[in-house]
Amino acid sequence: MNSRLDFICPPPKQNVLKKLLEAKKCFKLICGAGNENLEEVEKLVALYAKAGCRFFDLCASEEVLKSAQKGLDFAIPKVEQKDYHFCVSIGTENDPHFNKVTINQKDCKRCEKCIKICPQNAISQYFKVIEKNCIGCLKCQKVCKHDAILTVRLNPHPTNSLLFTLHSSLSCIELHVCDKTDADEKWDYLCENFNGILSICLGRGKFSNEQVLSLVRRLIEKREPYTTIIQADGSPMSGGEDDFNTTLQAVAMAELIQSANLPVYLTLSGGTNSKTAQLAKLCGVDFHGVAVGSYARKIVKEYIEREDFWTNKAIFEDASKIAANLIQSTFTPTSISIHH
Ligand code: SF4
Ligand code: SF4
């Protein structure tokens, strides 16, 4: 990771993304750092673009970006696409977003618990993991009583040549930081090579409040003001439910980052849902955007899986209304009442 490559993000693209963040209406759809299901990505991007999403977080793969572009082409005329942005992620060494799983057939008792809980339909009826669908959420591992599900680490750093190939389609590159192992080295690499917006998806991991803030301050020192997004990551890949509890940690993390008063854009992720903005406002967190993954995918899953998804206009419209409601909920939180 030493050679300088100068990934030049077209400046107009960068400025459009900044405007979106400054308007505090930056909803980002997280397709999944490890989600290589091309059909799902294409459908999700088409649907959420139509519903008003302009920022998409994708697996760093040429094929995935091509599928995302196809989805965007379906929903949005070419002349308007400068307002839409793709982002890919790089992980630090232990980042959970770069896991996949495999099933040890000798230990598997065929109880089907993993199949039922998997949000990605990534486990076949023959108890084999469909790798391209697996996003490494480890929900299956938690329900397996027989320790039959093993974690497989992906390489969290796309190669220089892959980033070089992808960079012209990107407005943003994100570094997932969950510990200190190699965060500084990777951040330096991105700062030196990519001139678009950079994002730090910051999970608490084993950090104390002081450690989180000192790490952020150190990383931000290398950046011009307002060229960085800090994405406060609550509990990574814990989403799926639409309640306050799931999104609590993301809001707490955002509140901590906000207290440092840095010249950055602040967004929330990890367990985010339609309640995130309400809770954040209630806690006095002033954010620029919300990134939603599991919950955003879950609410349109039944539509995405339909064979007539591309041809049945009514189905597409219905699904995009559901997506639009979620996006809207992250812009204009209504007042919240808590009953005891
Ligand atoms: S939960 Fe474990 S034992 Fe049950 S089917 Fe899945 S891998 Fe096999
Ligand atoms: S539950 Fe999560 S980790 Fe397990 S197979 Fe499905 S997507 Fe992969």
Side-chain angles (χ1 to χ4, degrees):
M1 281 205 159
N2 293 326
S3 59
R4 185 174 166 83
L5 294 171
D6 290 321
F7 304 152
I8 307 297
C9 166
K13 199 89 181 153
Q14 190 182 149
N15 290 339
V16 178
L17 179 54
K18 278 168 80 106
K19 276 194 188 136
L20 187 62
L21 287 156
E22 274 152 23
K24 300 186 177 173
K25 292 198 166 183
C26 191
F27 176 92
K28 182 167 77 166
L29 174 72
I30 303 175
C31 290
N35 187 355
E36 296 166 286
N37 182 332
L38 303 181
E39 193 188 345
E40 187 192 0
V41 168
E42 185 182 343
K43 288 176 171 175
L44 282 170
V45 171
L47 200 54
Y48 271 87
K50 194 75 181 172
C53 171
R54 297 181 169 201
F55 197 14
F56 301 89
D57 197 317
L58 303 162
C59 171
S61 129
E62 220 176 327
E63 288 71 32
V64 170
L65 258 97
K66 277 187 193 152
S67 295
Q69 184 60 50
K70 270 166 73 183
L72 192 60
D73 290 342
F74 179 85
I76 306 295
K78 274 276 182 212
V79 289
E80 292 169 29
Q81 288 186 12
K82 67 172 183 2
D83 293 341
Y84 293 77
H85 308 278
F86 293 151
C87 169
V88 297
S89 305
I90 291 181
T92 48
E93 214 50 57
N94 302 314
D95 182 352
H97 297 90
F98 291 83
N99 288 334
K100 295 220 182 232
V101 295
T102 183
I103 294 179
N104 182 342
Q105 299 298 322
K106 274 198 230 137
D107 293 336
C108 175
K109 302 289 183 269
R110 314 289 194 254
C111 71
E112 299 191 0
K113 281 188 179 152
C114 55
I115 296 178
K116 286 182 190 136
I117 203 159
C118 176
Q120 290 294 113
N121 295 344
I123 302 177
S124 77
Q125 54 180 322
Y126 304 109
F127 307 96
K128 293 264 166 60
V129 176
I130 305 159
E131 205 185 307
K132 69 180 168 63
N133 289 7
C134 176
I135 54 164
C137 67
L138 305 186
K139 288 188 164 110
C140 53
Q141 209 173 54
K142 287 190 190 114
V143 297
C144 180
K145 299 272 183 275
H146 304 279
D147 294 332
I149 301 182
L150 311 172
T151 309
V152 182
R153 283 294 291 161
L154 300 180
N155 180 0
H157 8 265
T159 60
N160 283 351
S161 63
L162 176 60
L163 280 181
F164 194 71
T165 309
L166 301 181
H167 80 274
S168 61
S169 326
L170 303 175
S171 305
C172 177
I173 299 181
E174 182 165 287
L175 178 67
H176 289 235
V177 179
C178 66
D179 59 25
K180 277 190 283 193
T181 42
D182 51 353
D184 287 276
E185 183 200 335
K186 288 194 173 134
W187 185 244
D188 287 350
Y189 167 79
L190 289 177
C191 290
E192 281 168 23
N193 287 297
F194 184 68
N195 79 337
I197 303 273
L198 287 182
S199 172
I200 306 170
C201 179
L202 188 63
R204 174 170 292 276
K206 296 181 182 113
F207 293 140
S208 67
N209 283 2
E210 289 71 26
Q211 286 169 328
V212 167
L213 294 182
S214 101
L215 176 65
V216 177
R217 285 199 184 97
R218 194 169 72 239
L219 297 178
I220 290 310
E221 261 175 18
K222 296 163 187 157
R223 304 286 297 163
E224 293 292 320
Y226 296 100
T227 56
T228 309
I229 298 169
I230 304 288
Q231 188 170 289
D233 200 18
S235 184
M237 292 177 293
S238 64
E241 300 308 315
D242 197 29
D243 55 27
F244 292 115
N245 188 35
T246 320
T247 201
L248 200 57
Q249 286 193 46
V251 174
M253 187 67 161
E255 202 271 335
L256 176 64
I257 304 293
Q258 180 174 265
S259 71
N261 216 4
L262 298 163
V264 296
Y265 299 111
L266 178 60
T267 64
L268 296 92
S269 69
T272 38
N273 53 36
S274 80
K275 311 282 191 215
T276 301
Q278 281 185 333
L279 193 62
K281 288 274 168 187
L282 188 74
C283 297
V285 175
D286 190 19
F287 54 91
H288 297 90
V290 178
V292 190
S294 305
Y295 182 70
R297 296 193 296 269
K298 179 181 165 180
I299 57 176
V300 296
K301 191 167 187 266
E302 66 176 283
Y303 297 92
I304 295 279
E305 286 172 351
R306 286 181 66 119
E307 289 198 349
D308 59 353
F309 176 86
W310 295 113
T311 51
N312 189 332
K313 256 189 157 179
I315 286 297
F316 191 84
E317 291 297 320
D318 284 355
S320 75
K321 270 184 213 148
I322 292 170
N325 283 339
L326 172 62
I327 295 169
Q328 202 59 34
S329 75
T330 67
F331 295 166
T332 48
T334 49
S335 63
I336 176 176
S337 60
I338 295 179
H339 302 285
H340 297 282

